Amino acid sequence: MAHIGVFYCEGFDPGAYSMALYHAQLEAARGGHGMSIHQFPEGSLAAAAERAPEVDGLLAFASGATDLAFLRGHSRPSVVCERILPGCAYVAPDNFDIGRTAARHLLDLGHERLAVVLPGDPANLDSYHGSRFAGFRDTAAAAGYPLDDSDIYFGAKVETTGQTAVEAMLARGDLPDAIYVQNLPMALAALRTLTEAGVAVPRDVSFLGTTFAQLNVPAATEHTTPPMTAVTFEKAEMGRQGVAYLAAAAEGRSSGRLEALLPGVLVAGASTAAARAAALVG
């Protein structure tokens, strides 16, 4: 039987990835494999792995360049979670498809003018949110409804970015048909700002956010007014597929490299609805 080590960097959000960790444990238990959890300061994954010689395979939540470089050259099997790492096995969200899923939902409802709020700097977007933005932007453009630059809002990955983006929309006095906010705290603040300003969601504007599942905790989107429609991906599959691959690789049952992209999933809520023109035609 294999021994799987889960390695995560300090600052890792266990709430956001509780589903991945839980299903990693389930998959290990099903196969009779051992499992241990190891925390390390960014840049010290190599030292953490050296202190765990009993580990046959590493399931790693790491994003620092030094740690990712170590995984590429490490002799034991490893899987990078959450990030696409050429030259290494990985299980990651298909961020382009998540953005495409968001745009496709809003377009299918008949919305034509779409706005997006996302964390980051437009001159230097990371691959994570940049790919999600590209999926949303390209899908809208392909449908004949390209995003206007004035309907794209960037900012720090903090709650207040969602608030300030909506305040800017309200100040213009010209709301789009639908708004997609890529980050959950930003989305919660943006939706609250809309409703506090007297905007009826989804009658006046459809609103689409982001969510993730946690163990034994209702999704935050179920407690918004109205319950928020959101996009996500199956984080449970990170743990399940990662452990299954590592166990097979450690036991010599697999020689291929795991390169898994998890597609976008729409979580139905009440914050999106058919555009007025589409509803009248229907």
Side-chain angles (χ1 to χ4, degrees):
M1 297 296 121
H3 184 103
I4 308 302
V6 177
F7 290 79
Y8 66 89
C9 185
E10 291 177 355
F12 165 81
D13 183 355
Y17 291 94
S18 59
M19 292 297 290
L21 297 178
Y22 175 66
H23 284 270
Q25 292 174 315
L26 284 182
E27 186 66 25
R30 287 191 192 102
H33 307 295
M35 177 170 283
S36 53
I37 297 179
H38 310 262
Q39 187 183 47
F40 61 93
E42 183 172 341
S44 64
L45 176 56
E50 185 177 351
R51 290 193 299 270
E54 75 282 1
V55 168
D56 299 308
L58 289 74
L59 186 69
F61 292 84
S63 58
T66 299
D67 297 324
L68 295 177
F70 162 74
L71 290 172
R72 278 200 186 97
H74 189 51
S75 59
R76 285 177 280 181
S78 64
V79 172
V80 178
C81 291
E82 189 70 9
R83 292 289 185 271
I84 297 171
L85 182 63
C88 194
Y90 59 80
V91 184
D94 187 337
N95 282 300
F96 188 92
D97 188 66
I98 292 172
R100 176 168 49 201
T101 299
R104 190 72 267 160
H105 172 65
L106 297 174
L107 293 165
D108 287 347
L109 290 172
H111 298 302
E112 299 178 357
R113 182 183 164 199
L114 309 183
V116 61
V117 183
L118 68 155
D121 177 352
N124 188 30
L125 276 180
D126 62 32
S127 60
Y128 194 92
H129 291 288
S131 294
R132 198 170 293 188
F133 171 60
F136 188 79
R137 178 199 60 206
D138 293 357
T139 301
Y145 303 106
L147 302 180
D148 190 273
D149 288 345
S150 63
D151 288 325
I152 303 170
Y153 298 83
F154 298 93
K157 193 177 180 181
V158 293
E159 179 180 342
T160 51
T161 294
Q163 177 183 338
T164 55
V166 167
E167 288 173 345
M169 295 180 201
L170 294 169
R172 288 170 55 185
D174 182 25
L175 284 175
D177 299 337
I179 303 167
Y180 168 46
V181 184
Q182 287 194 14
N183 170 265
L184 178 59
M186 289 164 53
L188 294 173
L191 181 58
R192 183 183 66 244
T193 303
L194 282 170
T195 56
E196 288 179 351
V199 177
V201 177
R203 188 188 67 196
D204 296 334
V205 60
S206 278
F207 187 92
L208 182 63
T210 303
T211 190
F212 52 79
Q214 296 192 54
L215 292 176
N216 302 319
V217 178
T221 51
E222 295 179 18
H223 296 282
T224 61
T225 303
M228 190 190 301
T229 306
V231 288
T232 188
F233 65 96
E234 296 291 353
K235 291 189 177 179
E237 286 299 300
M238 280 187 177
R240 190 191 68 77
Q241 293 189 35
V243 168
Y245 166 81
L246 289 172
E251 294 173 351
R253 294 183 284 109
S254 173
S255 57
R257 179 183 294 155
L258 176 66
E259 296 179 347
L261 288 176
L262 305 175
V265 176
L266 184 72
V267 181
S271 66
T272 55
R276 289 182 183 178
L280 290 173
V281 171

